Amino acid sequence: MSLKVPKSNNLPIFKDGYKYLQGLDEAVLRNIEAVTELSNLVRTSFGPNGRNKLIVNHLGKLFVTSDAATIIREIEVVHPAAKLLVMASQAQEAEMGDATNLILILAGELLKKSENLLIMGLKPADIIPGYELACQKALAELEKLSTFSLPTPMTPSTLAAALKPAIASKQYGFEEPLAALIAEAALAVMPTNPRNFNVDNVRVVKIMGGSLSASRVVQGMVFGRSPEGTVQQAKKAKVAVFTSPLDIAQTETKGTVLMKNAQEMLNFTTGEEKHLEMVISQIAASGVSVIIGGSSVSELVLHYMNRHNIAVLKVLSKFDLRRLCRVVNATPLARMGPPTPEEMGYVDVFETVEIGGDRVTVLRQLVDGDEGFDPTSTSSRTKTATIVLRGATANRLDDLERAVDDGVNVLKGLIKDGRMVPGAGAAEVELARRVDSYGAGIKGLPQHGVRAFASALECVPRILAQNAMGGAQGNEVLSRLWAKHEAAGGEAWGVDIENETDGTLDSSASKIYDSLASKAWAIRLATEAAVSVLNVDSIIMSKPAGGPKVPQQAGNWDEDD
């Protein structure tokens, strides 16, 4: 006869304050619900007709944008499962610079489909293999859908045509001027080997006023201010960069000086002025004719700089200062004095030009072999190009800058892998059809996961149609697309957001293409995020650091009880 060992139901495994959730209802379905909420937040911002979100971050800064990367970056997501999706979207932003919204929507849809399967009685271990098989099949079929590649050699027209669909998803109606600006700036700095293209060489400067049509590309680095002194331009100049204030050195301790007459007052600063003049003379003697200051510049220093014919420009952004040092090949100095030859930089052209009534300073480095710069010539190329954006409001300029940033990153991805697939949701419908046919031939429980994956891919054309035409027509347009994709040669049919006929169009004929590499990364990362969430069966959260929040008292803090 065996003895019965008493069991305790509440063993104290964790310290007080820990949260421990496990099981299907507490952990898995809760995680799916959190991810679905995050996905629903950004799905209305998907596509050219996506709605803007008005976000006020923790610093009180206002954002009005439909860019998913900006929305996710500025809101503070605290749910651990939703953070997995945020990390996946950030990985996509770092890798490709575009299609972040696709990851959030697709991962949310995958988990929504898995919720139905879990309620029916399947286990996460039955669904996950199906999702992984479907992902491999979708990526293999995506390779076969490539019908168009970025033409070589690249011209402004071919580059602009390839960039238009990506920019239209952010700034619908303004894709043509923006694509032309990006193409012009990119070709101005394109190296001999295009694979070495650096996105940092295309900069953006925002100048308030005017409209987008007044925007232009300036070859070189542009700063939205004029030089401090009277010297406005220089050619083939040596450059010194100072991060310290350009002023008389301050003493560490304060002192009191007693002056008895006016002569003593006149003589008081004579020594310092002579020392400052000697320092400026030494800088001028070293050959420097352009000085970039990262901090304040005193009137006395400016006087001596003008006397020695040295141009002075203040650059208060440390990021711009760092980029400028890289362009002119200079070392930033933390002390005021003559730089050594190794610390000095070089700039071919330093000049002040007027754009839309505002005076800006341009620093231009000419490519080896270019003797001069002709604005009408297409042969002159520089190491840096700046897109000067014009707009009526700061929020408008910020949104245009985000669209330009996405366009430049898409261009970088296309240079590495120029293959493109039909856009407007056509590739997703075709992948859904092929993955569904593949799932029908699989035996066992994983086939439910494969077919759920195929059904989840349909969310892309459905959301495009819903955002453009309203919720009622989304399913109707999707049904028409399925019928056209079932016919021979119908792989390129996608959503017509302008709804001119029946809501569908031939994306190849309309020249609407998406980057194959960007879409492949999005499908891969969305699947990995969904599988990671499904793999979680318990949530263990420790007690937050810090003591309990003290409730605010109604009376004065100094009053006695």
Side-chain angles (χ1 to χ4, degrees):
M1 180 179 177
S2 62
L3 295 174
K4 184 177 180 181
V5 180
K7 292 185 179 179
S8 174
N9 292 328
N10 297 317
L11 287 173
I13 300 175
F14 303 111
K15 290 173 66 176
D16 290 340
Y18 266 76
K19 285 186 181 178
Y20 180 51
L21 307 171
Q22 63 175 339
L24 183 65
D25 291 332
E26 286 191 344
V28 183
L29 294 182
R30 267 191 173 189
N31 287 345
I32 292 174
E33 183 183 356
V35 171
T36 305
E37 285 292 324
L38 181 63
S39 177
N40 290 339
L41 176 70
V42 295
R43 67 190 297 151
T44 54
S45 297
F46 185 62
N49 290 94
R51 308 296 293 273
N52 284 340
K53 299 285 186 289
L54 193 151
I55 300 168
V56 181
N57 68 2
H58 64 288
L59 298 174
K61 187 176 180 183
L62 179 70
F63 294 86
V64 182
T65 180
S66 62
D67 183 40
T70 305
I71 295 170
I72 294 300
R73 186 174 63 247
E74 296 304 328
I75 61 176
E76 296 181 12
V77 179
V78 295
H79 196 281
K83 278 186 177 179
L84 292 173
L85 248 72
V86 173
M87 288 189 283
S89 69
Q90 288 171 345
Q92 176 76 5
E93 177 72 10
E95 186 68 31
M96 300 303 300
D98 194 27
T100 50
N101 207 343
L102 178 59
I103 286 184
L104 298 167
I105 290 172
L106 184 55
E109 196 72 18
L110 285 171
L111 290 170
K112 199 182 291 183
K113 299 294 180 187
S114 67
E115 184 179 11
N116 299 330
L117 297 177
L118 290 169
I119 293 172
M120 286 169 55
L122 269 71
K123 303 294 182 188
D126 303 325
I127 302 170
I128 290 171
Y131 277 2
E132 290 173 344
L133 285 172
C135 179
Q136 293 173 8
K137 178 65 176 176
L139 293 175
E141 292 296 332
L142 189 65
E143 301 279 334
K144 302 175 185 176
L145 284 180
S146 177
T147 56
F148 179 77
S149 293
L150 186 66
T152 51
M154 291 177 285
T155 62
S157 57
T158 57
L159 266 187
L163 294 174
K164 275 181 192 175
I167 298 172
S169 65
K170 304 291 188 302
Q171 292 290 330
Y172 184 52
F174 301 97
E175 63 270 18
E176 289 196 10
L178 281 174
L181 287 170
I182 295 170
E184 182 184 348
L187 287 176
V189 299
M190 190 67 68
T192 309
N193 182 6
R195 285 184 172 271
N196 296 330
F197 174 72
N198 186 1
V199 294
D200 277 346
N201 290 341
V202 178
R203 298 182 65 251
V204 174
V205 167
K206 298 170 288 187
I207 297 180
M208 195 91 74
S211 62
L212 182 61
S213 58
S215 302
R216 54 179 285 197
V217 175
V218 177
Q219 301 203 15
M221 285 193 75
V222 177
F223 297 96
R225 62 190 303 158
S226 57
E228 301 301 311
T230 57
V231 183
Q232 301 288 310
Q233 60 182 2
K235 289 188 177 181
K236 298 188 181 301
K238 292 181 180 179
V239 183
V241 180
F242 295 99
T243 58
S244 60
L246 299 177
D247 199 352
I248 296 170
Q250 300 292 324
T251 57
E252 293 183 3
T253 58
K254 290 184 179 180
T256 303
V257 178
L258 180 62
M259 297 179 184
K260 296 180 180 179
N261 52 48
Q263 189 60 40
E264 287 183 0
M265 189 172 182
L266 290 172
N267 295 335
F268 175 65
T269 56
T270 303
E272 289 179 338
E273 289 174 6
K274 287 182 177 179
H275 175 73
L276 196 59
E277 184 179 10
M278 181 190 69
V279 172
I280 303 299
S281 301
Q282 289 174 350
I283 292 175
S286 66
V288 171
S289 52
V290 174
I291 285 182
I292 309 296
S295 187
S296 60
V297 180
S298 71
E299 294 292 330
L300 189 60
V301 169
L302 209 54
H303 167 71
Y304 289 125
M305 294 285 187
N306 292 335
R307 183 183 291 182
H308 288 88
N309 204 29
I310 297 176
V312 184
L313 176 68
K314 278 204 295 189
V315 178
L316 299 181
S317 167
K318 64 178 181 180
F319 300 106
D320 282 344
L321 200 66
R322 193 180 303 163
R323 187 180 286 114
L324 177 63
C325 288
R326 192 169 66 244
V327 169
V328 302
N329 197 25
T331 302
L333 303 174
R335 43 108 182 112
M336 187 174 170
T340 63
E342 293 79 15
E343 294 171 334
M344 282 190 288
Y346 176 83
V347 65
D348 286 310
V349 179
F350 176 93
E351 62 183 354
T352 306
V353 296
E354 190 169 326
I355 298 177
D358 292 335
R359 294 182 68 79
V360 298
T361 304
V362 181
L363 283 86
R364 185 163 57 246
Q365 297 284 47
L366 301 177
V367 172
D368 295 340
D370 286 344
E371 293 298 328
F373 171 68
D374 180 7
T376 61
S377 171
T378 57
S379 61
S380 295
R381 293 189 298 117
T382 63
K383 295 178 182 179
T384 316
T386 303
I387 300 174
V388 181
L389 290 177
R390 307 300 307 281
T393 63
N395 286 321
R396 173 71 177 151
L397 285 171
D398 289 341
D399 222 20
L400 288 173
E401 182 184 18
R402 284 187 280 270
V404 169
D405 182 59
D406 281 354
V408 174
N409 280 287
V410 167
L411 174 59
K412 182 185 177 184
L414 287 176
I415 289 172
K416 290 182 177 178
D417 187 350
R419 293 175 298 168
M420 306 183 84
V421 295
E428 284 80 2
V429 177
E430 186 62 24
L431 287 177
R433 189 180 71 83
R434 296 186 185 185
V435 172
D436 190 66
S437 302
Y438 168 70
I442 294 178
K443 295 180 180 179
L445 291 177
Q447 72 163 313
H448 296 289
V450 175
R451 303 193 78 168
F453 190 97
S455 178
L457 285 170
E458 296 176 5
C459 72
V460 174
R462 183 187 289 113
I463 293 171
L464 283 174
Q466 287 174 349
N467 289 346
M469 310 165 204
Q473 296 194 38
N475 291 330
E476 294 178 16
V477 171
L478 190 59
S479 300
R480 296 190 198 109
L481 284 177
W482 265 95
K484 292 188 176 182
H485 277 259
E486 291 288 347
E491 293 90 352
W493 283 91
V495 179
D496 181 7
I497 57 171
E498 294 178 354
N499 197 19
E500 292 181 349
T501 52
D502 60 351
T504 63
L505 56 76
D506 187 344
S507 58
S508 293
S510 302
K511 295 184 178 179
I512 301 175
Y513 297 104
D514 292 336
S515 167
L516 186 148
S518 179
K519 203 168 287 290
W521 270 100
I523 292 173
R524 188 181 294 113
L525 287 169
T527 308
E528 287 178 1
V531 167
S532 298
V533 173
L534 283 175
N535 254 326
V536 174
D537 68 340
S538 300
I539 303 174
I540 305 169
M541 289 185 287
S542 63
K543 182 180 179 181
K549 293 183 179 178
V550 180
Q552 292 183 353
Q553 299 177 357
N556 187 14
W557 63 272
D558 201 26
E559 287 180 358
D560 295 329
D561 292 337

